[in-house]
Amino acid sequence: MSCPCCGYTADKKDPVEISRAIKMSPMERTVFDILARRFSRQMTREFLVAEMYGRYSNGGPDDPWRVLHVITHRLRKKIIPHGLDIVAQKGRGANGISMIWAEA
C-alpha cells in the first residue's frame, strides 16, 4: 500500500518505514511514534498519557484515558493491514499497551 499524498511504498518491515505509508492525524502520529520507539515493549497507560500530553501546559483533556482508547482503536484499524498491531494487556501484573507484529 502506498501513501495517498506522495506515493511512498513501505517495503521494509520497520514500523517507522511503514508509518510513512499510513495517513494519520497528529495525535495518532504521536501515539504511533511513542509505540514505535519502544516497539514490542509494554508501556503503562500512565506513561503513554504523560508522553502524549506532557508538553501541554494545561495537562491535556479532562479524560485522557478515553482519548487514548479512541486513538489506539483508530490507529489499530490503520496499521493492521500493514502487519502491525497494538495490544492491550490487563491482569496478572501485565497492565500495558505495546505495538507488535500482527499474527498472520
Side-chain angles (χ1 to χ4, degrees):
M1 182 173 244
S2 63
C3 176
C5 59
C6 69
Y8 174 83
T9 304
D11 295 327
K12 298 179 182 176
K13 273 208 144 193
D14 174 24
V16 176
E17 291 293 318
I18 290 170
S19 74
R20 293 182 184 165
I22 303 171
K23 186 174 182 176
M24 296 182 224
S25 71
M27 189 53 75
E28 288 170 342
R29 174 73 56 196
T30 298
V31 171
F32 183 93
D33 289 345
I34 294 165
L35 292 170
R37 278 196 315 265
R38 299 173 60 98
F39 190 80
S40 79
R41 294 190 306 192
Q42 224 174 29
M43 290 162 267
T44 64
R45 288 168 177 78
E46 290 82 6
F47 175 82
L48 275 167
V49 167
E51 288 286 307
M52 289 167 62
Y53 297 110
R55 67 177 190 267
Y56 291 87
S57 59
N58 66 358
D62 291 335
D63 190 3
W65 312 108
R66 180 73 181 146
V67 174
L68 178 60
H69 176 77
V70 170
I71 293 292
T72 54
H73 177 75
R74 288 192 328 219
L75 193 52
R76 256 188 110 228
K77 287 181 176 179
K78 293 179 180 184
I79 67 173
I80 284 177
H82 297 276
L84 294 170
D85 197 0
I86 296 172
V87 293
Q89 297 175 332
K90 294 181 182 179
R92 295 187 175 222
N95 290 331
I97 297 174
S98 60
M99 182 186 296
I100 61 170
W101 294 113
E103 297 296 320

